[in-house]
Amino acid sequence: MAMRTRWMLLILVAIPIFLLDQLSKVWLSGVLARANRPIPLLFDWVQLAYHENTGVAFGLFPDQGGVLSVGAGLVLILLAYTYQHLLPAESRWVTAAVGLIFGGGISNLFDRIRQGYVVDFIQIGWWPVFNLADSAISLGVAALAFHIIFIGDEPEPAEPEPVDDSLLSELLSRDPETSLPAEPRNRNSESPS
């Protein structure tokens, strides 16, 4: 896969993730603001709940927006370098995984820069509240880890060994009458009696 095609495929994965995450945050922020309470989807175990996350995943390191924005930007740059130079170029699996990470990472970084926090809205049981970008990042990291651990570098197709057909060609091009060794004459007539 050409490098340009590789990056285009990554962008085709990242852009829908970015757009879905941004649209879901805008839409659900409005819905949850009007409801003024969490909206249960599956009893109280799965619900939509508005949360402004000023930290990283799972609410760790709250109120560190500036540092986290710089850190997230550096991680995305490092991921781009790794994707360009170290990860297998022919793997669509890797391209999709990195596209998920980029789409989610850029969406959350966009929120941090624009408003100083990330809107989270999905709550499942005791798990911390998260959003679609977090899900895409987690899925992308899991897919990339799976590829690195279990698949590794995909072997390039083996090239057939060159065959030297010159001897075969020479044998096939000879006239069969002249190429056969002369038959020995009757041995009985040549041997002394």
Side-chain angles (χ1 to χ4, degrees), residues 30-52:
V31 168
L32 293 169
R34 285 191 299 276
N36 201 25
R37 62 179 177 78
I39 300 173
L41 297 177
L42 184 62
F43 308 109
D44 286 339
W45 195 70
V46 178
Q47 57 186 356
L48 298 176
Y50 183 84
H51 177 73
E52 294 177 358

Side-chain angles (χ1 to χ4, degrees), residues 41-185:
L41 297 177
L42 184 62
F43 308 109
D44 286 339
W45 195 70
V46 178
Q47 57 186 356
L48 298 176
Y50 183 84
H51 177 73
E52 294 177 358
N53 184 357
T54 60
V56 293
F58 313 122
L60 298 173
F61 311 112
D63 301 320
Q64 301 295 319
V67 172
L68 295 175
S69 296
V70 171
L74 291 174
V75 167
L76 289 171
I77 291 169
L78 179 63
L79 180 62
Y81 177 84
T82 302
Y83 179 69
Q84 176 76 27
H85 298 289
L86 302 176
L87 294 174
E90 296 300 320
S91 176
R92 293 184 193 276
W93 180 282
V94 169
T95 298
V98 175
L100 288 168
I101 297 168
F102 262 106
I106 291 171
S107 185
N108 280 345
L109 180 61
F110 180 74
D111 285 352
R112 286 189 196 291
I113 292 170
R114 185 171 55 96
Q115 56 200 23
Y117 58 88
V118 174
V119 173
D120 291 333
F121 54 85
I122 303 168
Q123 186 168 15
I124 299 176
W126 52 266
W127 198 259
V129 184
F130 60 96
N131 58 39
L132 295 179
D134 298 335
S135 300
I137 293 167
S138 298
L139 183 60
V141 168
L144 191 57
F146 178 85
H147 184 277
I148 291 169
I149 294 168
F150 296 107
I151 299 172
D153 288 342
E154 295 168 355
E156 294 182 20
E159 296 203 13
E161 292 185 27
V163 178
D164 184 11
D165 288 335
S166 60
L167 179 61
L168 180 61
S169 296
E170 182 182 331
L171 289 173
L172 292 174
S173 66
R174 289 186 182 169
D175 183 16
E177 295 295 320
T178 59
S179 61
L180 291 175
E183 289 186 33
R185 299 186 187 246

